[in-house]
Amino acid sequence: MSLKNYTLFLADTSLILGQRLGEWCGHGPVLEQDIALTNIALDYVGRARLLYQYVSELDANGKSEDNYAMMREEREFKNLLLVEHPNIDFGFTVARQFLIDAFFVPYLEELSKSKNERLSHIADKALKESQYHLRWSSEWMIRLGDGTEESHKRIQSAVNSLWEFSGELFSPVPYEKEMLLEGIAPDVENILTRWNQSVNSVFSEATIIKPKDSWFQKGGKEGVHTEHLGYILSDMQYLQRTYPGQDW
Amino acid sequence: MMDRELKNLEFQSRIDRDEKIEAKDWMPEEYRKTLIRQIGQHAHSEIVGMLPEGNWITRAPSLRRKAILLSKVQDEAGHGLYLYSAAETLGIERDTMIEELHSGKAKYSSIFNYPTISWADMGAIGWLVDGAAIVNQVALCRTSYGPYSRSMVKICKEESFHQRQGFEIMLQLCKGSSEQKAMAQDALNRWWWPSLMMFGPSDKDSPNTAQSMAWRVKRFTNDELRQKFVDMTVPQAEILGITIPDEKLKWNDEKGQYDFGEINWEEFYSVVKGNGPCNKQRIHARKKAHEEGQWVRDAALAHAEKRSKKIA
Amino acid sequence: MKNWPLYEVFIRSKNGLDHKHVGSLHASDPQMAIENARDVYSRRMEGVSIWVVESIHITASDPKETSAFFEPAEDKVYRHPTFYNLPDELEHM
């Protein structure tokens, strides 16, 4: 059960982030970056599919990847709160991406050494994608932070608003702890050190001030979400809910 | 003979020998203008064309479909970019073209002014709209202007999956429940005529065609291409088992092609003039993206300048 | 503010082949140009290496001088191996 929940946490996080990034397609600030954002979205949707397929094998009940994506409710989704945050503007999207990329690069590196072969294999593939994403989001953090007065203000305020969702990355819930004990999930304590290094170095080059750690929002990993998720799901699941049991 | 006339003749004979014209070659001003207009229009169509399909990305019914749709709409951005690049070789900046799109001075394909109101529209667009676009674009691969022709070759190569994925959506719906099949039929009903309109006015009302053909910018007339599309598509509708909404559609044995009904030209011109169901929303969405992106583009440039000063 | 400069993109499709011009794009700096080229021009694994150069740095020959530039090579057929008549018995030369 813990393995399934843990895999769902990874899958849901990927899907919801992919869904959010997909909203940009056709609305990017410049054509070249529209394409770049969609590439990242596609990586995440692809990642989610591999993970749901694994969950489906664990369940061995013949359910497809879409069953997990389209037929579960808010309380069953285990994604991080950070990824359901609305895009707001390019600055928010970049900041959200950077906080998550700086996490995923060391995290996937560790996960690729997991005792669970399937997850290790998926992590291996995902790592290469995230390394590129991190490069993209770090550079944009720096461009926006050390760009114009307006861009600096915007990216700083995005970081300030998103900061309260960053703590959830590093507070393991019971299924994660169990997976850690079994040598399947990485130890987020170690990831935190490396995450801080990336954040400090990019923030300093971007002249962004790191917000003070005060209160961190939590709950996503256990299915207690912000109000945004319900809307994401009602959009995403609309066809499968309206016409249940059909092939598309 | 005047120098200019001589040059024009020389240019025309190059075209007649099927030589490609390259960016820095001498060309008549009208040829340049025609190309800028046509390539620009083509590029804008790709970009505006992202919107009706982008509308369904968050609602795609399966993860596989979501990934396909994302990559398809992304391809359209890529194709717009290839085409803007080709136009830029003629000495116009992308930003100028974008301004012309926003101000309404430049046109784009009217098909994208129709709304996408059901999932089946993703199927119909891929099958019919991309199908029609491919007929047009394959012909343009041999266009006389080198950069345009090379972009078209690349676009045609990439687009071959677009029509197939659309047809696959339709096929899946037609094999599905009665509701799904009705959805597919409804989409065909709404997209059929606008797809035929994509080839532009009938030859007798298309004053620019003759010159464009002479310059080999265009290689076939609007009506020739439209006919080709109809002949190609009717058997596909039969495979799907849905009905093309044209009572006059009939195989003509003598001509070896289909006869079909008259297009509603009043509707065609009215949508071109801006009265289509989504003209305003489409331009509004494009302007919004561009305007809201201004601070991002400015920041990147400001940062690049700061950095080059630091290095210097 | 002004626009992002234009870059020309060259891609090596696989090792052993030359980089080939594939098109252009806009970017605010060379680093971004490389990444944009990756995102725009190699979506289907078209390449293993990318070059970008700002378009204004390319110096091109003038088409008006095409004949002066290239025609003098036309009558120098002796530069091509097929110019020489050699006996058939002679293989591999």
Side-chain angles (χ1 to χ4, degrees):
Chain A
M1 197 59 197
S2 287
L3 177 59
K4 176 183 163 182
N5 283 335
Y6 176 64
T7 310
L8 277 173
F9 147 63
L10 294 172
D12 293 342
T13 295
S14 303
L15 178 60
I16 300 302
L17 185 53
Q19 178 81 357
R20 276 293 189 220
L21 290 167
E23 292 172 17
W24 271 107
C25 189
H27 307 276
V30 63
L31 212 37
E32 285 83 350
Q33 293 304 319
D34 201 302
I35 294 171
L37 281 160
T38 305
N39 266 349
I40 303 177
L42 278 166
D43 285 341
Y44 274 103
V45 173
R47 208 180 280 189
R49 292 183 66 189
L50 293 175
L51 290 159
Y52 286 128
Q53 284 159 14
Y54 182 41
V55 175
S56 143
E57 285 166 37
L58 289 173
D59 269 348
N61 57 6
K63 282 188 180 169
S64 73
E65 58 185 41
D66 291 323
N67 242 291
Y68 296 95
M70 304 292 183
M71 303 306 279
R72 285 182 307 136
E73 292 166 16
E74 286 94 317
R75 292 287 278 109
E76 295 171 275
F77 268 74
K78 296 179 173 44
N79 59 278
L80 295 164
L81 298 177
L82 180 63
V83 298
E84 66 200 50
H85 198 283
N87 293 336
I88 312 271
D89 67 9
F90 188 75
F92 261 84
T93 303
V94 163
R96 185 183 65 199
Q97 199 57 41
F98 172 70
L99 296 176
I100 201 95
D101 293 339
F103 170 77
F104 265 135
V105 168
Y107 191 85
L108 292 168
E109 251 176 62
E110 291 306 310
L111 187 61
S112 70
K113 299 175 204 150
S114 168
K115 273 192 185 159
N116 181 302
E117 248 181 70
R118 193 59 180 276
L119 290 179
S120 126
H121 192 74
I122 295 173
D124 224 26
K125 177 180 178 292
L127 174 61
K128 290 172 203 141
E129 299 164 354
S130 281
Q131 282 166 338
Y132 189 82
H133 304 166
L134 178 59
R135 177 190 166 113
W136 177 88
S137 59
S138 305
E139 284 175 8
W140 269 111
M141 288 294 286
I142 294 164
R143 282 190 197 106
L144 298 180
D146 188 25
T148 61
E149 210 175 303
E150 181 183 6
S151 70
H152 177 81
K153 219 159 68 189
R154 282 184 185 247
I155 194 75
Q156 180 70 59
S157 94
V159 167
N160 295 348
S161 310
L162 291 171
W163 197 252
E164 62 173 333
F165 300 106
S166 67
E168 195 186 11
L169 300 166
F170 306 102
S171 17
V173 294
Y175 59 76
E176 279 178 288
K177 288 179 186 157
E178 206 179 305
M179 288 297 98
L180 172 63
L181 287 176
E182 288 183 32
I184 291 176
D187 185 354
V188 284
E189 285 282 323
N190 302 335
I191 307 295
L192 178 59
T193 320
R194 292 186 55 192
W195 184 79
N196 267 318
Q197 283 166 0
S198 301
V199 168
N200 292 340
S201 97
V202 167
F203 278 17
S204 116
E205 203 177 331
T207 68
I208 293 169
I209 296 161
K210 194 172 173 180
K212 290 214 167 54
D213 292 344
S214 51
W215 179 256
F216 288 120
Q217 302 299 335
K218 280 186 265 194
K221 291 175 183 177
E222 291 184 296
V224 183
H225 291 275
T226 65
E227 289 177 349
H228 303 300
L229 187 69
Y231 292 96
I232 296 179
L233 296 190
S234 58
D235 226 22
M236 185 171 77
Q237 302 181 334
Y238 141 72
L239 275 164
Q240 293 266 5
R241 296 281 189 187
T242 313
Y243 307 97
Q246 309 294 329
D247 287 325
W248 300 91
Chain B
M1 209 183 285
M2 306 252 303
D3 185 43
R4 235 179 83 87
E5 276 174 59
L6 202 68
K7 275 184 161 167
N8 271 327
L9 277 176
E10 214 178 297
F11 179 81
Q12 189 59 49
S13 67
R14 288 189 64 191
I15 298 269
D16 294 341
R17 287 196 300 272
D18 242 344
E19 272 182 39
K20 292 278 187 240
I21 307 302
E22 293 295 344
K24 286 174 172 264
D25 293 353
W26 185 87
M27 58 186 84
E29 224 20 62
E30 272 308 304
Y31 177 84
R32 182 187 300 274
K33 272 194 203 146
T34 301
L35 275 170
I36 289 180
R37 195 190 64 222
Q38 185 175 329
I39 302 175
Q41 206 166 314
H42 198 158
H44 298 325
S45 301
E46 297 280 355
I47 301 309
V48 176
M50 296 172 77
L51 300 169
E53 286 176 286
N55 183 27
W56 281 86
I57 288 172
T58 59
R59 290 179 292 170
S62 72
L63 298 184
R64 175 173 175 269
R65 291 281 174 219
K66 191 187 291 293
I68 293 171
L69 190 59
L70 266 168
S71 69
K72 178 185 188 258
V73 180
Q74 183 194 41
D75 268 354
E76 279 152 21
H79 298 168
L81 197 149
Y82 303 161
L83 288 160
Y84 283 129
S85 292
E88 280 179 289
T89 63
L90 291 159
I92 184 166
E93 291 222 15
R94 190 201 291 176
D95 254 55
T96 313
M97 287 186 275
I98 290 177
E99 271 164 37
E100 289 178 358
L101 170 69
H102 294 174
S103 71
K105 190 178 162 219
K107 299 276 179 242
Y108 57 91
S109 180
S110 281
I111 191 90
F112 303 118
N113 291 318
Y114 290 88
T116 51
I117 53 181
S118 89
W119 170 251
D121 291 6
M122 298 303 99
I125 289 183
W127 172 39
L128 300 173
V129 177
D130 289 304
I134 289 169
V135 169
N136 241 323
Q137 289 169 351
V138 166
L140 283 172
C141 287
R142 290 171 52 227
T143 189
S144 59
Y145 185 57
Y148 190 23
S149 148
R150 289 191 290 275
S151 325
M152 288 321 307
V153 170
K154 201 154 33 198
I155 290 171
C156 283
K157 230 191 264 172
E158 297 189 353
E159 274 206 352
S160 54
F161 101 80
H162 293 186
Q163 195 188 12
R164 295 173 75 104
Q165 65 85 35
F167 192 79
E168 196 194 64
I169 291 175
M170 293 303 271
L171 197 62
Q172 188 70 50
L173 294 172
C174 291
K175 284 193 308 198
S177 66
S178 58
E179 286 154 322
Q180 285 177 309
K181 192 162 181 187
M183 207 185 267
Q185 179 65 57
D186 172 59
L188 173 58
N189 294 348
R190 284 181 290 108
W191 292 95
W192 174 254
W193 289 106
S195 300
L196 294 193
M197 293 177 197
M198 281 176 72
F199 296 95
S202 148
D203 292 349
K204 59 182 195 306
D205 301 315
S206 179
N208 299 327
T209 296
Q211 182 60 73
S212 286
M213 296 279 288
W215 277 333
R216 302 199 182 174
V217 170
K218 268 171 111 161
R219 312 283 315 220
F220 298 94
T221 72
N222 296 351
D223 286 335
E224 283 167 356
L225 292 170
R226 187 163 18 238
Q227 182 70 50
K228 206 169 180 169
F229 173 72
V230 171
D231 293 341
M232 198 178 83
T233 309
V234 174
Q236 296 167 352
E238 281 163 11
I239 294 174
L240 292 173
I242 43 181
T243 313
I244 290 174
D246 179 358
E247 284 173 5
K248 294 203 174 114
L249 186 75
K250 218 176 108 217
W251 177 253
N252 184 326
D253 229 359
E254 211 173 297
K255 291 198 303 193
Q257 58 192 31
Y258 284 93
D259 291 332
F260 55 95
E262 187 69 17
I263 286 170
N264 181 346
W265 293 112
E266 203 183 322
E267 176 182 329
F268 172 82
Y269 287 110
S270 134
V271 179
V272 170
K273 278 192 202 116
N275 299 320
C278 300
N279 292 58
K280 291 181 191 73
Q281 291 93 311
R282 299 295 185 237
I283 290 300
H284 173 76
R286 284 313 313 157
K287 270 171 132 166
K288 183 165 180 278
H290 191 72
E291 282 160 15
E292 288 177 357
Q294 188 67 48
W295 70 272
V296 178
R297 298 191 298 275
D298 289 348
L301 214 50
H303 179 72
E305 273 164 27
K306 279 188 199 174
R307 195 149 57 179
S308 64
K309 264 183 212 146
K310 257 184 228 163
I311 294 166
Chain C
M1 219 182 215
K2 54 187 196 212
N3 301 321
W4 288 0
L6 192 67
Y7 285 80
E8 300 299 322
V9 181
F10 301 81
I11 292 191
R12 184 201 294 287
S13 57
K14 62 177 188 193
N15 277 359
L17 297 180
D18 291 319
H19 285 77
K20 197 178 144 206
H21 184 241
V22 294
S24 64
L25 48 76
H26 289 271
S28 63
D29 57 67
Q31 197 51 43
M32 191 205 277
I34 285 277
E35 287 156 24
N36 288 352
R38 177 257 194 196
D39 285 327
V40 173
Y41 288 103
S42 74
R43 300 198 301 288
R44 290 175 171 79
M45 300 179 295
E46 287 93 335
V48 295
S49 162
I50 300 175
W51 289 349
V52 293
V53 58
E54 225 185 300
S55 311
I56 51 163
H57 294 316
I58 290 187
T59 310
S61 62
D62 185 345
K64 282 203 285 295
E65 290 175 320
T66 299
S67 43
F69 259 63
F70 304 109
E71 277 172 23
E74 246 173 43
D75 63 354
K76 307 201 172 42
V77 282
Y78 40 78
R79 281 180 176 139
H80 298 277
T82 46
F83 175 72
Y84 300 91
N85 280 322
L86 297 179
D88 289 344
E89 305 90 88
L90 188 72
E91 286 171 31
H92 310 300
M93 181 177 276

